[in-house]
């Protein structure tokens, strides 16, 4: 891919990334192949085989087992599978953070409404002692789950993942990490974190098709979830009298006709990143992000909302220019310098820029000169 897409400095990977050119080629190739006749046994078998390669690729990058991976269209599907798979009782509670995306928020608001469940919120902060303290204080014997971002979509703060799991598990409470902003940007090892569930999107840092993603479900949590989201292909066996046996693995939550070319494209993306070397990818994102923070700090009065230390942040940099409305700043940068960022419309006044390996020094120059222009001219 070229670093300038329609002339934009593309800092919107946290929303949707541009796609890797070989991934696009792969999707088109297998879409054409599949479309010849999806019911032809040789075609169907080949497509399934390649989609299973994608599943193995996801398992590999998360350090999970393929049997623990559910593939779907996005991160939010996994959150729904978990949220609706809990046997809620009136008076239960669940814990989110204050920075959650609507995908990890509305699902739970709905649960609260449907089942008379209390919502509790940890204030997301880069002070991990405070995070631990808050979680310890909020959890009680009616808490059924903690669902929180591994990396905040708002500030890019990276939580102390293992510590929060430990606190939840001490009270026998499962923990779901929303990894939409982490997978592909920072190392994720679900075995080391020991979380129960981990959802991710393919269309952000992995640079795979829109509408790819999935979830890791720790083996012992597969049967723990009530299977409210199943259908054809979820089964190991069934008869016409109402008996069925579900698959033992996370595929029980996948059903119906699937978009296999895009899943194969996800597998291709994972193969490419692996061949580049994940450490190289993570390191390039880290170096670029550090450099962006450094350059932004040169702008008078600019307030960085993202912590400086990279081990407490990720590939997201959020800032404000006091006295300037963020939406207007972003629009001005977009119109004049072709900087593409996000204004975080739901829950922040900040401007969010996300970085990836394709961002260049020239993008940073353009950003800095645009901000200086706004300070000089007032708009
Ligand atoms: C933290 C977070 N969670 C969930 C989502 C929703 O992801 P998806 O569209 O893959 O469900 C996003 C998307 O921006 C996100 O940033």
């Amino acid at each position: 891919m070229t670093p300038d897409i329609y002339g934009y400095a593309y800092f919107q990977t946290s929303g949707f990334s541009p796609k890797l050119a070989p991934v696009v080629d792969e999707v088109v190739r297998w879409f054409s192949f599949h479309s010849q006749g999806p019911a032809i046994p040789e075609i169907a078998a080949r497509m399934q085989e390649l989609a299973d390669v994608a599943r193995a690729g996801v398992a590999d990058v998360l350090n999970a087992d393929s049997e623990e991976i559910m593939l779907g269209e996005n991160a939010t599907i996994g959150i729904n599978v978990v949220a609706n798979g809990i046997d809620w009782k009136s008076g239960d509670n669940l814990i989110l953070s204050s920075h959650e995306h609507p995908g990890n928020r509305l699902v739970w608001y709905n649960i609260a409404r449907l089942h008379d469940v209390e919502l509790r919120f940890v204030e997301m902060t880069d002070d991990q002692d405070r995070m631990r303290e808050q979680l310890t204080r909020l959890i009680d014997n009616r808490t059924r789950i903690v669902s929180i971002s591994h990396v905040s979509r708002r500030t890019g703060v990276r939580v102390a993942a293992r510590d929060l799991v430990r606190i939840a598990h001490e009270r026998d409470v499962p923990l779901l990490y929303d990894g939409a902003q982490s997978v592909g940007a920072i190392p994720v090892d679900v075995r080391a974190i020991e979380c129960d569930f981990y959802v991710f999107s393919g269309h952000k840092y992995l640079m795979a098709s829109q509408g790819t993603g999935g979830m890791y479900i720790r083996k012992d949590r597969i049967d723990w979830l009530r299977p409210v989201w199943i259908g054809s292909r979820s089964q190991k066996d069934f008869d016409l009298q109402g008996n069925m046996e579900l698959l033992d693995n996370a595929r029980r939550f996948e059903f119906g006709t699937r978009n296999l070319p895009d899943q194969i494209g996800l597998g291709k993306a994972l193969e490419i990143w692996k061949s580049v070397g994940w450490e190289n990818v993570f390191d390039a994102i880290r170096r670029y992000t550090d450099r962006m923070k450094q350059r932004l700090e040169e702008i008078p009065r600019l307030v960085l909302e993202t912590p400086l230390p990279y081990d407490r942040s990720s590939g997201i940099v959020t800032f404000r220019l006091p006295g300037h409305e963020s939406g207007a700043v972003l629009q001005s940068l977009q119109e004049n310098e072709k900087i593409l960022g996000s204004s975080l419309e739901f829950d922040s006044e900040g401007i969010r820029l996300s970085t990836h390996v394709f961002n260049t020094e020239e993008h940073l120059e353009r950003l800095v000169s645009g901000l200086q222009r706004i300070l000089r001219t007032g708009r």
Side-chain angles (χ1 to χ4, degrees), residues 13 52 56 58 60 92-93 116 162 183 221 242 250 277 287 297 330 332 347 351:
T13 291
D52 286 338
V58 170
D60 184 50
D92 285 345
N93 67 70
D116 187 28
R162 177 69 193 92
V183 173
R221 289 294 184 190
R287 276 186 283 111
E297 284 214 305
L330 197 61
S332 175
D347 53 7
I351 293 172

Side-chain angles (χ1 to χ4, degrees), residues 14-16 73-77 79 99-104 149-154 178-182 199-204 211-214 316 352:
S14 298
F16 308 121
E73 287 91 340
N74 51 49
T76 313
I77 283 181
I79 298 171
H99 280 195
E100 297 312 315
H101 182 273
N104 192 31
S149 291
H150 187 180
V151 164
S152 158
R153 68 184 283 263
R154 201 166 120 183
D178 178 343
Q181 300 299 348
S182 47
V199 301
F200 71 97
S201 312
H203 42 253
K204 298 181 190 286
T212 51
I316 287 177
R352 178 184 74 182

Side-chain angles (χ1 to χ4, degrees), residues 33-54:
F33 174 77
H34 199 205
S35 299
Q36 296 173 96
I40 294 171
E42 290 86 343
I43 291 182
R46 183 76 180 123
M47 293 299 286
Q48 194 51 57
E49 192 185 311
L50 289 167
D52 286 338
V53 170

